[in-house]
Amino acid sequence: MKITIIGTGYVGLTTAVVLSYLNHDVAAVDKDSSKLNQLHDGKSPIHEPGIQTLLDEVHHTIRFTPNVAEVVPDAELIMIAVGTPPKKNGEADTRHVEQAAREVAEACMPNKHYTLVVKSTVPIGTNRRVAQVVENVFTERKIQGNVSIASNPEFLQEGLALQGAFYPDRIVVGANSDDAIDALRRLYKPILEQTFAPPSALPRPATYHLPPMMTTDPNSAEMIKYAANTFLALKISFINEIAGLCEEVGADVTEVARGIGLDARIGQRFLRAGLGWGGSCYPKDTAALLGVAAKTGYEMQITEAARTVNFQQRTRIVNKLQTILKTLKGKTIGIMGLAFKPNTDDIREAPSLDIIRQLVTEGANVRAHDPIAIPNAKQALKDISVTFIEDVYKLSYNADALILVTEWKQYHRLELRKLAKHMKTPILVDGRNLFTPREARTAGFHYIGIGR
Ligand code: UGA
């Protein structure tokens, strides 16, 4: 199929690359010229495992352009995958989505059928607004347009985006017209039927089953996206709340998570207690959902509480350290990990940023390491004094404590003894329960985990 994707961010680019690999004819539009230059040179502007290899394979087949009008007329299906940043009050700003819809409607040929798909995460009701925008443009142009609109929310996880795109759990489509549903079924046919040859670095998981394509109305599809993210966010906040109580009563939350997760109704995943969620999705989407609810006068107490518990995790860990060290003033603290989770250089809403700011406010000297996120963190923390260190072992030299914030695999492979031996006081606050208390203590650390 001939497809245009508007927006080459994390979702747009992943989708473009994957659809091109599946032999669709893809054009990708972005207004950011520096991004486009990189893409023209075949370089991925995002850090995502596997994306560069796949881009090497397909980038010559994708047409990258800043101009919607250049590629939309010929397209059969157009996807909007632009950002919906939070407004000051937490609501998602859909300005870019509406602008993209307008440009698409201005470029559509009369009498030709198009499917316009909203992939961006948008407040419930946006699909209807997009339809209105398109209709208004057609009225201004005095033409009879023929556009079917669908919502197709995205469930990709950073760090696992390609796995999620090739081997999704489900595909959700919200549309009022059979035309739109048929177009999306054709688009995703190779994935729904798993008829493609897997890329060499992304073999099909042995236990993978064909994914269902669920079709529903647009409002429900938009709600599914927010409800899914909010549910995962509150699953994590729940285990973090249990972790706090485990500390009070002397239980181990990792054991508790294992024990409850063995109940198939609960499941093992997303029960890792720690410093909670960051990133561009859960903080933004839970706030946006609350914004949607507030507009209707509806109160969402569980979602509110999930956010409160989440952000408290960041202060709790600093308070813990303060209790042990008596004061943080003049103390040297090493931060292991800046990215909001491993395998990404994304630091948006990362717990590391709040923790570092609090430590600095309390008068601590902060050193920080991350395998790839240092450039982004430098930018985000440029107003305060933080020393960024490339060699993780050097974090520990004469330090009073280390806080592990991101559970990078390479940290697990570290020689803990070597880290402990250079410290003034070998204290390890393990914010992700990456190490076992026993291995850390054997290496000479005073070990503090979360909920154990
Ligand atoms: C999340 C969802 O998982 C995706 O399905 C969704 O498409 C995406 O948001 C989005 O809306 O675009 P992502 O933000 O990339 O994906 O990251 P997750 O892997 O879900 O992790 C989010 C945060 O939760 C991370 O900070 C992670 O450290 C934390 N987390 C995760 C925990 O603290 N405990 C866990 O057990 C799992």
Side-chain angles (χ1 to χ4, degrees):
M1 284 172 87
K2 237 181 156 53
I3 301 154
T4 289
I5 296 173
I6 304 177
T8 62
Y10 168 72
V11 169
L13 183 61
T14 306
T15 310
V17 166
V18 168
L19 292 178
S20 168
Y21 181 85
L22 298 175
N23 290 324
H24 289 300
D25 181 351
V26 179
V29 183
D30 206 297
K31 298 228 156 94
D32 182 334
S33 55
S34 78
K35 244 191 216 174
L36 277 185
N37 287 341
Q38 288 185 59
L39 288 165
H40 277 133
D41 293 344
K43 302 241 153 49
S44 168
I46 59 166
H47 182 96
E48 179 62 37
I51 197 112
Q52 186 57 55
T53 314
L54 216 54
L55 194 60
D56 289 345
E57 210 172 307
V58 300
H59 100 270
H60 61 281
T61 66
I62 304 177
R63 181 162 167 194
F64 294 105
T65 167
N67 197 352
V68 168
E70 203 179 284
V71 283
V72 161
D74 276 351
E76 193 177 336
L77 184 144
I78 301 130
M79 271 187 178
I80 300 180
V82 297
T84 50
K87 295 193 220 167
K88 278 215 172 69
N89 63 2
E91 285 173 26
D93 188 344
T94 56
R95 223 174 330 163
H96 302 303
V97 173
E98 287 169 35
Q99 176 60 22
R102 193 165 300 118
E103 288 176 26
V104 169
E106 281 161 1
C108 284
M109 292 196 287
N111 306 321
K112 178 175 181 245
H113 179 257
Y114 298 91
T115 304
L116 177 58
V117 180
V118 181
K119 221 178 191 8
S120 306
T121 298
V122 290
I124 296 97
T126 302
N127 188 292
R128 213 177 310 135
R129 257 202 316 284
V130 164
Q132 195 58 57
V133 167
V134 170
E135 219 27 70
N136 291 349
V137 173
F138 288 159
T139 309
E140 282 163 28
R141 289 179 63 195
K142 299 192 177 58
I143 62 163
Q144 191 70 42
N146 188 0
V147 176
S148 312
I149 299 183
S151 291
N152 174 215
E154 189 50 75
F155 303 107
L156 301 185
Q157 264 178 286
E158 281 189 38
L160 294 168
L162 292 173
Q163 277 93 331
F166 283 113
Y167 312 115
D169 286 346
R170 79 300 206 188
I171 290 171
V172 173
V173 173
N176 291 322
S177 90
D178 290 342
D179 285 349
I181 294 171
D182 286 350
L184 280 152
R185 212 181 282 287
R186 274 187 290 124
L187 179 79
Y188 289 125
K189 193 166 187 274
I191 292 173
L192 293 168
E193 296 176 1
Q194 291 290 306
T195 46
F196 61 90
S200 49
L202 289 160
R204 187 170 291 121
T207 53
Y208 185 68
H209 293 293
L210 295 186
M213 178 167 128
M214 173 187 165
T215 57
T216 182
D217 63 278
N219 279 5
S220 301
E222 289 168 343
M223 182 60 114
I224 285 168
K225 168 69 194 192
Y226 279 120
N229 272 3
T230 303
F231 186 81
L232 292 169
L234 70 90
K235 200 171 175 191
I236 300 165
S237 284
F238 173 78
I239 202 66
N240 281 333
E241 186 166 85
I242 293 291
L245 188 57
C246 283
E247 287 173 13
E248 298 298 325
V249 299
D252 181 339
V253 74
T254 59
E255 292 297 302
V256 175
R258 195 157 65 94
I260 63 172
L262 284 169
D263 183 329
R265 292 170 301 175
I266 296 174
Q268 298 279 0
R269 296 170 71 192
F270 278 69
L271 283 179
R272 277 179 284 114
L275 289 169
W277 31 272
S280 66
C281 306
Y282 300 159
K284 175 167 94 76
D285 293 350
T286 49
L289 190 64
L290 289 175
V292 171
K295 271 200 174 145
T296 69
Y298 186 73
E299 225 185 304
M300 296 194 76
Q301 298 176 44
I302 296 180
T303 307
E304 295 266 13
R307 286 177 59 82
T308 308
V309 169
N310 187 61
F311 296 116
Q312 266 173 7
Q313 291 302 93
R314 304 173 182 193
T315 19
R316 280 172 63 97
I317 203 157
V318 177
N319 294 346
K320 257 188 199 175
L321 193 56
Q322 195 153 25
T323 311
I324 299 163
L325 291 173
K326 309 284 185 270
T327 175
L328 291 168
K329 203 169 165 54
K331 298 284 161 65
T332 300
I333 314 295
I335 301 291
M336 297 166 73
L338 294 159
F340 85 96
K341 66 174 190 178
N343 298 326
T344 175
D345 64 349
D346 195 342
I347 50 136
R348 285 176 289 176
E349 304 273 351
S352 64
L353 303 182
D354 281 347
I355 292 168
I356 290 173
R357 285 190 183 280
Q358 266 188 73
L359 291 169
V360 169
T361 306
E362 295 296 334
N365 305 312
V366 177
R367 297 172 183 162
H369 173 270
D370 191 281
I372 55 173
I374 288 180
N376 286 342
K378 264 189 187 159
Q379 186 58 25
L381 296 169
K382 59 174 186 255
D383 57 313
I384 57 171
S385 162
V386 180
T387 310
F388 293 95
I389 292 191
E390 302 283 342
D391 175 355
V392 62
Y393 284 106
K394 290 196 178 144
L395 269 188
S396 65
Y397 290 1
N398 263 329
D400 294 277
L402 295 176
I403 307 181
L404 183 130
V405 180
T406 317
E407 67 279 34
W408 284 98
K409 269 221 177 75
Q410 42 270 68
Y411 291 160
H412 201 204
R413 290 194 291 262
L414 289 175
E415 275 182 61
L416 286 184
R417 210 177 279 280
K418 196 167 149 192
L419 271 181
K421 113 174 153 208
H422 292 293
M423 294 178 68
K424 206 184 281 167
T425 46
I427 296 169
L428 174 61
V429 184
D430 182 355
R432 297 289 180 183
N433 291 339
L434 181 66
F435 303 103
T436 62
R438 186 205 285 252
E439 66 183 318
R441 285 175 190 142
T442 309
F445 272 111
H446 174 51
Y447 176 86
I448 301 128
I450 303 278
R452 55 205 321 210

